[in-house]
Amino acid sequence: MHFATPDPAAELEMSAYEHNRSRTLCALILAQIRSSDHKAIPFSSYMNLALYAPEYGYYTSAGKIIGAGGDFITAPEMGDMFGNLLATKIADSCAQFERPPTLYEFGAGNGTLAVQILKELNRRSVEINNYEIIEVSPMLKGFQQSTISRTEHQISQKFKWRTNLPESGIEGIVIANEVVDAMPVELFCKTQGQFGQGFVVEADSGFGLEYRSSVRPDFRKSLSALNLQDVDDGYYSELHCQGESWLRTLAEMMNSGSILIADYGFPEREYYHHDRNQGTLVCHRRHRLLYDPFSYVGCQDITAHVNFSGLARAAAESGMEVNGFTNLGNFVVDIGMIGGILDKVAEESVHYATQLDKLSSPNEMGEIFKVMELTKNFDSSGLGFNLSDRTHRLGVVD
Ligand SMILES: C[S@@+](CC[C@H](N)C(=O)[O-])C[C@H]1O[C@@H](n2cnc3c(N)ncnc32)[C@H](O)[C@@H]1O
């Protein structure tokens, strides 16, 4: 997530409406804690409820969350450059299919990226079958429909929403921009030489976190793969069991095509570097970075960076290969050179130059934001990754 220039006058205080919604959500979470066997729920269950509880979760009911008037800004909300870059990559891939492929987008937010991509494909006369959106939030689905209804019929008629992927499997291109970082994570911490799993418990002030030994096989397996035996007590971080399981399912359903994942994150070696001993979990409210996931419950975003090695490994288990992995800065320059986007910056406007700076500068999104392409039975070109393919840094694929 990127932030608009923080408005010093912006109040973090919740409105009366937000207070009510948050109180109801807290009561719902508390009921789950009290009815659980050990009076504690895994952090991932807490995060899932805080973000996605029907009617009260952040993504299901907080209103306008993405954009200058919301809590954070994603790449497509800065302007159409990011969408145009992805469309250039997608146009290149579409040419490899015998028939016009279907595009699938997970978690389409306000629908901005979807429209940018289809407009650009249309401008380039690239044919696709449909653009199908898989969105867990009914509220955001409503925003997407409204954004898409404002485009011309030729474009809007291509959109469909679906709750599941097609049972016959996928032949096409899947896009997930800043979706994996919105999936619930597990927390872990080393105390007295032992790793414990983060559980949310009832506390005087609301909710608290306790680290307990975990019996979950996926948690133990992911943790033991990380080689963290030597870290000091107090080291804590996150595990992405849910994101990896999502990708495993997706990869299993892929017959032929590619998956483009764009998100904040690192390869495993950097993510779990001994010096990064406080993890990456953060919260966003009104363009401020906050660190307490138990504040503003249901009224702030909670997110953790993505372990791209874990995703690559999950995909490989289901027969997918990493076709490329790089940072956004390199991706922009590689595609920009070919698509003429950099020329457009020179010719056109300051607005375009500002977008280019935000997307490519190492101090902005250029280094920390990554793009990974996974393929199965599909001969994708290296477009986007020719300048600098860092797949080897994932430590997963030969
Ligand atoms: C941070 S927002 C990013 C929105 C959009 N992709 C953008 O770039 O503006 C995360 C999005 O992912 C959705 N999401 C989270 N988990 C999902 C899942 N398992 N399947 C589909 N959508 C999901 C959220 O509802 C939301 O639309």
Side-chain angles (χ1 to χ4, degrees):
M1 279 96 192
H2 201 83
F3 301 117
T5 311
D7 171 2
E11 273 294 337
L12 285 177
E13 250 334 279
M14 293 195 284
S15 65
Y17 167 74
E18 286 181 311
H19 264 298
N20 278 340
R21 213 165 42 76
S22 185
R23 248 195 307 268
T24 312
L25 178 60
C26 286
L28 196 143
I29 297 173
L30 209 52
Q32 293 228 357
I33 292 174
R34 287 178 179 162
S35 65
S36 64
D37 281 350
H38 301 284
K39 306 283 179 261
I41 56 173
F43 183 80
S44 61
S45 305
Y46 167 83
M47 187 166 162
N48 190 41
L49 289 168
L51 297 184
Y52 302 107
E55 290 181 54
Y56 300 103
Y58 177 73
Y59 278 102
T60 44
S61 67
K64 179 145 176 54
I65 54 181
I66 310 170
D71 296 317
F72 58 87
I73 292 181
T74 54
E77 300 292 335
M78 292 178 205
D80 61 5
M81 183 182 275
F82 182 73
N84 287 353
L85 288 160
L86 280 193
T88 308
K89 170 75 186 159
I90 290 165
D92 180 70
S93 296
C94 283
Q96 315 293 324
F97 286 92
E98 280 174 17
R99 292 192 300 267
T102 300
L103 306 189
Y104 300 90
E105 185 181 352
F106 275 84
N110 295 335
T112 309
L113 179 63
V115 167
Q116 289 168 353
I117 290 176
L118 264 209
K119 275 192 176 164
E120 182 61 14
L121 292 182
N122 198 40
R123 193 187 68 78
R124 291 166 177 258
S125 307
V126 175
E127 260 198 77
I128 61 152
N129 177 27
N130 282 323
Y131 195 109
E132 308 197 353
I133 295 178
I134 301 114
E135 172 57 67
V136 287
S137 158
M139 179 190 79
L140 288 176
K141 181 178 171 189
F143 291 177
Q144 291 154 19
Q145 286 171 328
S146 149
T147 304
I148 286 160
S149 69
R150 293 195 294 274
T151 61
E152 62 247 54
H153 180 70
Q154 198 188 356
I155 290 178
S156 62
Q157 51 130 6
K158 288 283 180 191
F159 286 100
K160 289 193 164 40
W161 281 262
R162 53 184 319 136
T163 41
N164 286 310
L165 289 166
E167 273 173 26
S168 56
I170 305 167
E171 268 167 48
I173 301 166
V174 178
I175 305 149
N177 181 55
E178 298 196 40
V179 176
V180 184
D181 74 352
M183 293 186 183
V185 292
E186 297 298 354
L187 299 183
F188 68 87
C189 182
K190 191 174 187 188
T191 25
Q192 297 179 333
Q194 301 292 322
F195 284 103
Q197 180 184 346
F199 284 86
V200 177
V201 295
E202 188 172 353
D204 291 343
S205 54
F207 301 116
L209 197 59
E210 278 182 12
Y211 290 95
R212 302 179 176 183
S213 74
S214 174
V215 288
R216 270 192 27 206
D218 59 342
F219 180 90
R220 295 173 74 90
K221 186 175 162 218
S222 298
L223 194 55
S224 63
L226 295 181
N227 257 330
L228 287 172
Q229 292 80 358
D230 297 341
V231 295
D232 293 333
D233 270 6
Y235 182 101
Y236 77 78
S237 193
E238 310 89 29
L239 289 178
H240 298 263
C241 307
Q242 187 162 324
E244 286 162 22
S245 140
W246 166 79
L247 190 52
R248 211 168 281 119
T249 309
L250 189 54
E252 272 164 21
M253 298 201 68
M254 177 62 80
N255 295 334
S256 65
S258 87
I259 304 176
L260 284 169
I261 298 179
D263 225 316
Y264 290 89
F266 318 97
E268 206 152 83
R269 225 176 326 154
E270 289 169 48
Y271 198 118
Y272 298 105
H273 192 281
H274 291 196
D275 292 339
R276 195 188 304 285
N277 56 9
Q278 303 297 297
T280 69
L281 192 87
V282 289
C283 308
H284 302 125
R285 178 168 166 80
R286 301 195 185 153
H287 302 276
R288 307 272 178 96
L289 205 51
L290 305 169
Y291 296 95
D292 181 3
F294 303 134
S295 294
Y296 307 110
V297 184
C299 300
Q300 67 172 0
D301 187 29
I302 309 175
T303 173
H305 286 6
V306 172
N307 168 12
F308 278 93
S309 304
L311 292 183
R313 201 177 293 120
E317 281 168 20
S318 303
M320 294 201 79
E321 289 173 3
V322 180
N323 189 55
F325 170 69
T326 194
N327 65 26
L328 184 58
N330 289 328
F331 187 80
V332 167
V333 176
D334 195 48
I335 293 205
M337 286 195 293
I338 291 163
I341 287 170
L342 296 183
D343 295 343
K344 209 168 159 185
V345 169
E347 287 162 15
E348 289 202 2
S349 65
V350 176
H351 177 56
Y352 234 70
T354 309
Q355 284 184 65
L356 179 66
D357 183 54
K358 288 223 182 316
L359 299 181
S360 61
S361 161
N363 298 330
E364 301 270 357
M365 297 174 74
E367 178 56 44
I368 197 155
F369 197 90
K370 307 292 193 306
V371 183
M372 180 162 76
E373 183 182 32
L374 301 159
T375 55
K376 193 195 252 185
N377 301 323
F378 185 67
D379 198 10
S380 173
S381 80
L383 182 60
F385 308 105
N386 292 315
L387 187 66
S388 167
D389 186 359
R390 299 180 173 180
T391 299
H392 60 283
R393 293 206 193 167
L394 294 169
V396 173
V397 200
D398 295 333

